[in-house]
Amino acid sequence: MLKNYRARFVRGVSSLLTAGRFPMYDIESSLDSQIIEVMKNKPAVIFTEATDPRIIEAACYLPRFARPVFLASEEAIKEIIRVDLPDLDPVRVEFALSEGAFIKPSERDDLVDEFARAIVDLPQGMGLARDLAEAREFVSRPSLFGIMAVRQGHADIVVGGILHEPREYFRPMAKLLAKQEVLCEAGVIVLPDDHPEEIFPHNILVVGDVGANAFMNPEVLANVAVGTCAAARDLFPEEVLPTINGAIVSYSNRGSDEGPSPELVRKATELVPEVLADRIKLGQRYETIRIEGEVKISVAMSRRSAHLYRRGQGESHFVGGTNVIIVPNLDTGNLLFHLYATRYPTAKKFSVMFGIRFQAVDLPMDCTAEDAMLGVKACILRMHKFGHWSRTPKDTFFPRYRTLAINPGSTSTKIAVFEGELERFTQEIEHSAEELKPFEGKRIVEQYEMRRDVVLAALADHGISVDDLDAVSGRGGLLRPIPHGTYRINDKMVEDLLTGTGGDHASNLGALISREIAAGKDIPAFIVDPVVVDEVPEMVKVTGMKDIRRQVISHALNQISTARRFAEEQETFYEYLNLIVCHMGGGITVGAHANGRYIDVNNGLDGEGPFSPQRSGSEPTGQLIRLCFSGKYTLDELLKLNKGRGGLIDLLGTADFREVERRIDKGDALAIEVYEAMVYQICKNITALLPAFRGEGVDRVLLTGGLARSQRLVSDIEVGVQALGCGVTAYPGENEMFALAKGVLRVLDGKEQPCDYDPS
């Protein structure tokens, strides 16, 4: 099992815990999987009560989805963890703190001044401060500092309320962050198995309003009804709750009684269709919302009561299957939510705001760390689903360094510009035969000036100059063997590339172009994990012939990047995991990664390992020697058969794996035989790496590269390596541009020290 990783159950309700019963709905796994589906970037979440142990514990389970901003010093938080949270996984803590920013409002006069001026500029009717001095005192409080940080675009979500009274956090938050006239707060409860499931489908209950509106009129209540149901639709997928069934409850049931409250509910119910129609314009998913008004609460919760109370009235099709209860006053909503929360202490519970564009989380003072964590995840999910957010407006707490990544190929140069981890653009620049003609018969490094100019022209086309960049990252080439890492491009590296110390390859251009672009601009140039990364023990290189030693050349960039990605998703570090990574492209490399070191891999450049679409793989030595001297092939022909014309090309006449699958589907016996042999060789090479870990278990097998897009291949490899007992995760594609940028970001963010190329 994964070290330092809390296992989560897969979302779903199809497996029964006991005959005729569903297990408690796994809301955390559901939120996680839904966020992963839609997430392209992480919002900055600012914790105003950062020294409360519950907040710290909750924040430690959020870095996969958010960038935490703690309004406290790192030293203060570490001390609280030491004293109050000694059982919290230290690796999880280390990872969470490494992903966070630590801000003391008293030390940020620049932000306090900005926030105070913004308060003074607000309309007088808001009455938050009379002058600049009072405004400064107001925004220096952590609760208000966090709220204003979101309002001014320095963060995306503010979290508070666990230590502050409503007048200190909730009321100013609602006033300063409101995006529409009517706000509401919905309480979400996932009840445990001992609650009668026939009342609420899957024991899911959403209640509104539980915290925002002390006064209700028909317009407010109609908006609260739609807002609460919309929040429920955002959180629970349609395969779990096909429809969101909301009931506006009353002591009257469809005209059975009179009074101000039933009259309020009746008028609100009349307004609901128009309000809901406006909501549907913002998202088709809201078409699955059904809202009925003036429903006695027992009718909303019980089919028996519904049948008795509605004789002769015609039953609603969803009565008895209500998921959302909307109440006509704040006291009732608050009472109902906390009544269930206290009656069922093992229930999962949290609240979500409607009307502030997902910019805040309001926590009750008695909430648990889990409540806080769920509330933040729910807010993040809804933010992503709504679709208006792409990144934090300002990069005050998490600088968005602008990085140019360069990946040269034999006839093209791929470039990408990243702002932080967000890709601004990617472009593959094709080099025509006419452009390349002057370089025929010359070493490829002769092209670097021509390619540099083409890259600069492409940047200009996108409105970017070198002065706009913070760093340049090039694909590493055939250098001398070095450990993994992000390397400064120095004179020795350039010398080795220009002289062709390790051989001639298009990747050699990466460092040369990068350094040329950065020259004279006072920006650093790097390479990241070149193909010659070698951390292999000497025993791995020994063969049975003294004239031959194994060389280590592989898809190091994608191998290590994939391993790091998996570690981040488990909220831990590459250095704490044992992984086997299999890159499956035109060539296949299978690498062992033990506690942050790349300790064994086949030489993919020379075709060692499994055969692949274009490479022959390891061959029986004696037969290969005889073939070499048979006269059937020249030296050049054999080299091409080994790399470029071997593997699937030689066996089936195609390197297109999709074509191979089409032949398999048609029952082609040869295609089936070759495919099964390829799967077997991949699995054999994966499992053969087990001794590299010296008795330690493997945490995961990772499949990457273009062939990992084939679900058939991934599934068959999963079966072939299942005896390892660790499971398989696929990351299709190579993602090399992001890997080049990510390596540089680790250095610029201070998470990793840059390396100096010094092979001696």
Side-chain angles (χ1 to χ4, degrees), residues 348-529:
K348 312 296 183 183
K349 59 191 185 300
F350 56 92
S351 63
V352 293
M353 290 294 299
F354 183 88
I356 59 171
R357 199 60 65 84
F358 327 110
Q359 291 186 308
V361 176
D362 176 40
L363 302 174
M365 289 187 171
D366 61 350
C367 85
T368 65
E370 183 180 48
D371 298 339
M373 177 266 292
L374 291 173
V376 175
K377 286 185 178 181
C379 189
I380 291 171
L381 172 61
R382 296 177 65 224
M383 172 182 280
H384 285 304
K385 275 194 169 182
F386 197 71
H388 78 286
W389 182 87
S390 60
R391 69 179 188 183
T392 312
K394 300 174 183 177
D395 65 347
T396 309
F397 302 132
F398 300 98
R400 284 194 291 268
Y401 298 108
R402 187 176 284 188
T403 305
L404 168 64
I406 303 172
N407 187 2
S410 56
T411 60
S412 67
T413 303
K414 194 171 185 179
I415 65 171
V417 171
F418 291 84
E419 293 179 351
E421 295 185 8
L422 197 64
E423 179 185 301
R424 176 162 174 178
F425 78 88
T426 294
Q427 180 179 347
E428 186 159 5
I429 307 166
E430 299 288 345
H431 304 300
S432 66
E434 185 178 348
E435 282 181 294
L436 296 176
K437 190 172 183 180
F439 304 100
E440 287 181 3
K442 299 179 181 179
R443 294 183 55 243
I444 198 165
V445 292
E446 301 286 342
Q447 300 177 22
Y448 81 86
E449 290 183 345
M450 178 272 289
R451 297 211 193 196
R452 174 204 61 195
D453 294 340
V454 171
V455 169
L456 290 173
L459 287 177
D461 288 343
H462 289 274
I464 298 173
S465 75
V466 178
D467 292 328
D468 297 323
L469 302 175
D470 294 297
V472 184
S473 180
R475 180 72 187 269
L478 296 177
L479 296 160
R480 302 173 195 268
I482 51 176
H484 81 273
T486 299
Y487 283 79
R488 299 183 183 93
I489 301 172
N490 58 19
D491 292 340
K492 179 60 179 172
M493 184 185 297
V494 170
E495 178 187 341
D496 280 358
L497 292 170
L498 289 174
T499 57
T501 298
D504 209 28
H505 191 269
S507 61
N508 291 0
L509 292 163
L512 300 175
I513 299 170
S514 297
R515 196 186 205 201
E516 282 283 303
I517 287 176
K521 296 295 182 179
D522 196 30
I523 60 173
F526 302 95
I527 64 167
V528 181
D529 295 331

Side-chain angles (χ1 to χ4, degrees), residues 36 59 84 204 232 238 291 295 328 333 395 463 510 522 618 652 664 673 760:
I36 290 167
D84 297 316
I204 294 168
E238 290 182 33
I291 299 174
V295 179
D395 65 347
D522 196 30
S618 300
L652 296 175
I664 293 170
E673 179 183 60
S760 64

Side-chain angles (χ1 to χ4, degrees), residues 113-129:
D113 287 343
E114 177 191 335
F115 300 164
R117 288 193 299 270
I119 290 290
V120 170
D121 289 342
L122 290 172
Q124 290 294 321
M126 296 190 75
L128 295 173

